[in-house]
Amino acid sequence: EIVLDDKKTYIVLHNEHYYPVVNFVEKKVSEKKRRKLLAFDFETRPTEDYITIKATGEKMYILKDTIASVYYQKGDVRTNNFEKTIITTDNEKTSARKFIDFLIQSDIDHIHFNIIAHNGSNFDFYFILAEMTEDEYAECDINFRGTSVIGIEFKGHKFKDSRCFLANSLEKLSKNFQVEDGKITKFQLHGEEISSANLCFYKHEL
């Protein structure tokens, strides 16, 4: 970072000419440039609550978030220093509520993020909105496209859906771009390897 001293005289080279600096003002960096990058994904399980589709009589079980996997930039925005954290639902708060609390604390600490969730507009963002208080919801600037939440601004953070411009599944995109650590489909839980599709069967253990 360059710090200028108003007691010194500066000369600027511009278009092969030298110019003395008469005065200077500090340029304010826009909030967009100060935002760091954060990506997240929810894993869910069905609850025993459901709604019935009138046309077919099919039961649609209401999903509840159990795990939020969060990958965020730390330190200076120009560095490539990232940290991963796993936020889990417990008896007091859901993973979505804990994630909201994390974003509120980040705002208090003057840290803001561009937040990415793949297919967040049709899935992940709804868990965030469902856990907000009325006052928090009133602070949101929400952009809809039909029933899809394509963007949210909250406490200086901007939510975006990467599927709006990368229109494929995360698993296929990982393979197409040859990402070494792509979409995680298996993980260790209680010493046992399970697939993310089996997560709903671990309701009581979680």
Side-chain angles (χ1 to χ4, degrees), residues 19 61 69 89 103 108 140 157 185:
Y19 299 90
Y61 286 87
S69 180
T89 293
L103 295 178
I108 292 169
C140 280
H157 308 290
T185 56

Side-chain angles (χ1 to χ4, degrees), residues 26-38 73-78 106-107 109-114 155-157:
E26 182 180 355
K27 182 179 178 181
K28 291 186 178 180
V29 180
S30 68
E31 190 160 325
K32 182 178 181 181
K33 290 183 179 178
R34 288 203 306 267
R35 286 196 188 97
K36 301 178 182 182
L37 182 62
L38 181 152
Q73 196 172 18
K74 295 200 72 179
D76 193 286
V77 294
R78 294 166 292 185
S106 296
D107 176 51
D109 296 336
H110 306 290
I111 300 170
H112 301 98
F113 296 102
N114 281 319
K155 297 285 186 182
H157 308 290

Side-chain angles (χ1 to χ4, degrees), residues 44-65:
T44 61
R45 62 169 174 82
T47 65
E48 296 178 1
D49 299 324
Y50 62 87
I51 57 174
T52 304
I53 300 174
K54 291 182 180 180
T56 62
E58 183 183 1
K59 292 180 179 178
M60 296 289 290
Y61 286 87
I62 296 171
L63 297 176
K64 200 71 177 174
D65 58 289

Side-chain angles (χ1 to χ4, degrees), residues 45 64-66 87-95 97-98 131 203-206:
R45 62 169 174 82
K64 200 71 177 174
D65 58 289
T66 54
I87 303 171
T88 57
T89 293
D90 56 31
N91 291 331
E92 295 180 3
K93 294 181 179 180
T94 68
S95 59
R97 182 62 246 179
K98 290 180 180 180
E131 284 297 323
K203 172 182 173 182
H204 300 298
E205 283 84 346
L206 285 174

Side-chain angles (χ1 to χ4, degrees), residues 110-161:
H110 306 290
I111 300 170
H112 301 98
F113 296 102
N114 281 319
I115 301 170
I116 306 293
H118 199 66
N119 198 32
S121 58
N122 297 310
F123 191 74
D124 305 86
F125 295 167
Y126 279 98
F127 292 100
I128 298 290
L129 296 175
E131 284 297 323
M132 285 185 171
T133 64
E134 287 187 18
D135 289 341
E136 289 166 350
Y137 192 84
E139 287 186 60
C140 280
D141 184 9
I142 306 171
N143 296 318
F144 287 95
R145 181 186 294 157
T147 58
S148 299
V149 181
I150 61 171
I152 304 171
E153 286 192 42
F154 174 67
K155 297 285 186 182
H157 308 290
K158 276 195 174 183
F159 289 76
K160 301 176 183 180
D161 182 358

